[in-house]
Amino acid sequence: MMNLMKPFLSLWHRLRCRISKDQAVLLLAVLVAVCIVGGALLGPALTGSPTSKGKNQTAGLVQSGSQTQESSTKRKAKKSRHLPRQKGESSATTLSTTAIDWAKPTGGPYPQLSKQSAISLEVDLARQRVYIKADGKTIYTMVASTGLDGSTPRGNFTIGGNTDITRGESFYNPSEKMGAKNWVRITGSILFHSVPTDNKGNFITSEAQKLGSPASHGCVRLSVPDSKWIYDNIRTSTPVRIF
């Protein structure tokens, strides 16, 4: 305030000797009023107090930061979200990032097919799952590994694939340098079978650990006991749908 009044006081001292007393008093009153109004308008800027515009800008930055953090959280949640569980699918076989034990059943205790009717199988390529169905309802779910680069054919098939040799205890393919156990034909060279074995019949751990993700040349890989269960229980001509 005093800094604002200094030039006006200097002017008043120069003029008061040239004007009447009444005019000097009036001029002084005007100068004081001008200083008061000017101080009220310029005070916040001189003292560094935030204006309403500054407050709005600060609030905008805080709100923008909150929105960015919220969007980041939503993106992370979206990335980690599992596919919805299928009806009849146990929590043990729900898609997750945990490793699958390829030496154990992947869906819990196996169903008794003698008490079921209209058995069929479905292979879900997106979920890497095999569904055992009875009367159209899922009664068991297995974790699978299907073919890389879409090499597992889609469509409707029947176990055996219209051939005389529908299943076997093991095989070995020299060109792929791997084989498997408990194979059951779906169509042509496309089989259900265990996780891969080497030329001595030993399971290849590095390949077995891929169970739950596409990894084969087109066949449907299963855990060792899951492949044995299909080998023992799924009859020739059982419908198979791959989608």
Side-chain angles (χ1 to χ4, degrees):
M1 176 71 78
M2 292 303 299
N3 291 333
L4 291 172
M5 292 180 65
K6 284 181 180 180
F8 294 109
L9 290 174
S10 177
L11 177 63
W12 181 74
H13 282 300
R14 289 198 301 270
L15 294 176
R16 68 176 182 172
C17 298
R18 303 177 187 179
I19 58 178
S20 66
K21 182 178 180 180
D22 292 337
Q23 289 175 331
V25 172
L26 179 60
L27 176 61
L28 180 60
V30 171
L31 293 177
V32 171
V34 169
C35 290
I36 292 173
V37 174
L41 293 176
L42 299 177
L46 294 174
T47 59
S49 301
T51 62
S52 59
K53 182 178 180 182
K55 290 180 180 179
N56 291 338
Q57 289 175 340
T58 302
L61 290 173
V62 172
Q63 183 178 7
S64 175
S66 299
Q67 290 175 345
T68 302
Q69 184 177 5
E70 182 179 359
S71 299
S72 177
T73 302
K74 288 181 178 180
R75 286 196 298 269
K76 291 179 180 178
K78 185 175 181 181
K79 289 181 180 179
S80 62
R81 189 176 299 150
H82 292 166
L83 290 174
R85 188 185 304 174
Q86 292 282 334
K87 186 176 181 180
E89 184 175 359
S90 69
S91 59
T93 54
T94 302
L95 287 185
S96 68
T97 57
T98 57
I100 304 299
D101 190 340
W102 51 270
K104 294 181 179 180
T106 58
Y110 294 116
Q112 296 293 327
L113 294 189
S114 59
K115 300 178 181 180
Q116 308 290 343
S117 60
I119 303 300
S120 64
L121 279 64
E122 288 189 349
V123 180
D124 188 333
L125 300 179
R127 297 175 62 86
Q128 295 293 288
R129 297 294 184 267
V130 173
Y131 302 114
I132 313 300
K133 292 180 170 284
D135 294 314
K137 297 181 180 179
T138 300
I139 60 173
Y140 196 82
T141 302
M142 297 175 175
V143 178
S145 283
T146 59
L148 292 165
D149 303 321
S151 54
T152 301
R154 299 171 185 264
N156 295 308
F157 311 95
T158 57
I159 291 295
N162 299 319
T163 62
D164 294 332
I165 304 175
T166 63
R167 65 193 67 209
E169 293 183 357
S170 64
F171 73 91
Y172 181 75
N173 188 333
S175 64
E176 296 178 1
K177 296 183 179 180
M178 63 179 67
K181 297 182 179 181
N182 311 318
W183 65 268
V184 175
R185 192 182 310 279
I186 302 173
T187 180
S189 61
I190 305 301
L191 316 171
F192 287 115
H193 61 66
S194 71
V195 292
T197 58
D198 59 21
N199 60 351
K200 295 181 180 180
N202 299 315
F203 293 108
I204 305 172
T205 303
S206 60
E207 288 294 326
Q209 290 174 341
K210 298 176 183 178
L211 192 63
S213 301
S216 76
H217 294 88
C219 291
V220 180
R221 297 179 181 178
L222 301 166
S223 76
V224 178
D226 285 354
S227 66
K228 185 65 165 63
W229 187 88
I230 285 184
Y231 177 84
D232 289 338
N233 293 276
I234 299 301
R235 298 178 179 177
T236 299
S237 299
T238 298
V240 179
R241 174 178 172 245
I242 302 178
F243 64 98

